[in-house]
Amino acid sequence: DATLAAAHARAALDASTRAARDLAVSARVGHARLLLAKALRASGDAAAAREEAARAAGSLERGAGRDHPLAVTARALAAPSNR
């Protein structure tokens, strides 16, 4: 269920945000944002999914590295062609 997945992803994002020292470089925050992006996509909100995926990509690239598989996945989901 996409709605439940989004709720769980938002809870993970809230928890990781509270624990992070710097949101901009936290791979955990980026991962939670990616999970939320996937849930939003599954619920049919492609625009919100792309926006959240772009945020995820930034955090993941700075926190885990540009070539990390999660960063690559986030960039792909954020791509304008991913509608």
Side-chain angles (χ1 to χ4, degrees):
D1 174 338
T3 303
L4 184 58
H8 285 294
R10 282 188 178 94
L13 180 56
D14 288 344
S16 62
T17 298
R18 283 192 308 274
R21 286 184 283 169
D22 185 345
L23 300 179
V25 298
S26 172
R28 287 185 182 182
V29 169
H31 189 198
R33 287 192 179 285
L34 178 57
L35 293 173
L36 179 55
K38 288 179 175 184
L40 290 168
R41 170 118 176 143
S43 72
D45 194 346
R50 284 192 305 276
E51 185 177 313
E52 201 60 52
R55 289 183 186 131
S59 292
L60 286 163
E61 288 173 359
R62 289 184 294 273
R66 182 165 175 76
D67 296 327
H68 191 281
L70 293 176
V72 173
T73 300
R75 280 196 310 276
L77 187 55
S81 61
N82 194 354
R83 295 178 186 250

